[in-house]
Amino acid sequence: MTVAAGLGLRAVTAGSAGKYGGDALYTVLLVTLVVLVAPRVTPLTAAASALAVSWGIEFLQLSEVPAELSRRSAVARLVLGSTFNAPDLLWYAVGAAAGWLVLTAVRREA
């Protein structure tokens, strides 16, 4: 559902809204994957882990590795991106916060 929302957002919006909304949803997806791998993880740990991975990938873009892999593979381009963009760091944090809020609410209801 998160992947569909991200792709849909990019398809129907232009400019910053689609790009930065997609960044936030990327981290929400990572929060979801952390919970799938480790279901007993706390919401804060899941969100922090997802944020660390998002930031790690963004900082990796300061090297040539993601750009080179992105030229060779569409999947690598979607997962790793290609160029560093400092504002992405903020939007990854927004996604981590959103994931934390949703996961906290879901766990309280359960």
Side-chain angles (χ1 to χ4, degrees):
M1 190 165 70
T2 305
V3 172
L7 294 174
L9 183 64
R10 292 248 178 156
V12 300
T13 62
S16 297
K19 184 200 179 328
Y20 295 127
D23 289 345
L25 287 169
Y26 179 85
T27 304
V28 170
L29 174 63
L30 291 176
V31 171
T32 304
L33 293 175
V34 168
V35 172
L36 287 173
V37 170
R40 293 185 178 172
V41 69
T42 67
L44 182 59
T45 300
S49 299
L51 182 58
V53 170
S54 296
W55 281 358
I57 290 170
E58 190 67 29
F59 282 114
L60 182 64
Q61 292 171 358
L62 290 169
S63 75
E64 293 296 318
V65 173
E68 181 59 32
L69 293 172
S70 292
R71 282 191 281 278
R72 297 177 187 199
S73 166
V75 173
R77 187 171 45 256
L78 289 171
V79 173
L80 299 176
S82 61
T83 56
F84 179 80
N85 185 29
D88 290 350
L89 300 171
L90 168 67
W91 292 100
Y92 294 141
V94 169
W100 173 78
L101 285 169
V102 169
L103 189 52
T104 300
V106 167
R107 296 248 170 116
R108 280 193 184 137
E109 290 296 319

